[in-house]
Amino acid sequence: MSRIAKNSVKIDKDISCKFENGDFFAKGKLGEMKLSIDPLYTVNIQDNEIFVKPINERDKQNPKWGTTRSLIYNIITGVSKGFSKTLELNGTGYRATVSGTTLKLQLGYSHDINYTIPKEVKAECPKQN
């Protein structure tokens, strides 16, 4: 039985959620997202919490129950806070710079690596490494 799936997902007041026709919708300050939920499960939204419940008792053993709850948690995090990843370059000669919409990486190759940053992604480089 999944321990993760038993837990509820807390939502803020500025996030609106709904579950209809097997689809879960979430809308927040950073956008909106949709997730198709497996027909074995239902989503209950009560007060400021979201519960994922299996329709049949035998589906409590299915690992999709915890995965569904985790996907909903990720959607709530994405529309409220967003996601961030910090990359630190260690070593001699490793550098990174951002110019406009291009990330320039110097990683020890004979050439620089230029990566175009998508417009949905915000990249910043406070130091060269």
Side-chain angles (χ1 to χ4, degrees):
M1 189 179 294
S2 177
R3 293 185 211 165
I4 293 173
K6 290 180 185 178
N7 299 332
S8 65
V9 177
K10 308 278 191 248
I11 56 175
D12 295 332
K13 295 173 184 161
D14 60 339
I15 299 172
S16 62
C17 300
K18 65 180 177 178
F19 177 69
E20 56 186 28
N21 299 329
D23 291 329
F24 174 76
F25 299 93
K27 185 175 183 179
K29 63 182 177 183
L30 296 178
E32 57 185 84
M33 295 187 78
K34 172 189 158 193
L35 175 68
S36 295
I37 304 295
D38 193 304
L40 301 174
Y41 304 101
T42 184
V43 177
N44 296 331
I45 303 168
Q46 300 170 353
D47 299 327
N48 291 332
E49 293 183 315
I50 299 172
F51 296 95
V52 179
K53 301 284 184 184
I55 294 175
N56 294 326
E57 284 294 315
R58 69 174 188 266
D59 292 327
K60 286 186 174 183
Q61 301 298 325
N62 194 335
K64 287 183 183 180
W65 186 25
T67 303
T68 303
R69 187 257 179 211
S70 294
L71 291 172
I72 289 175
Y73 175 78
N74 290 339
I75 286 176
I76 297 299
T77 302
V79 299
S80 63
K81 302 174 201 161
F83 297 98
S84 66
K85 186 69 176 173
T86 303
L87 175 66
E88 183 177 333
L89 300 175
N90 291 320
T92 306
Y94 295 150
R95 290 193 175 95
T97 55
V98 176
S99 61
T101 61
T102 303
L103 174 64
K104 181 179 178 182
L105 299 170
Q106 296 172 338
L107 302 175
Y109 294 114
S110 61
H111 61 284
D112 295 342
I113 298 169
N114 294 319
Y115 181 75
T116 304
I117 302 169
K119 59 183 172 182
E120 303 89 27
V121 176
K122 178 185 166 192
E124 57 185 34
C125 198
K127 298 186 291 182
Q128 286 188 344
N129 58 352

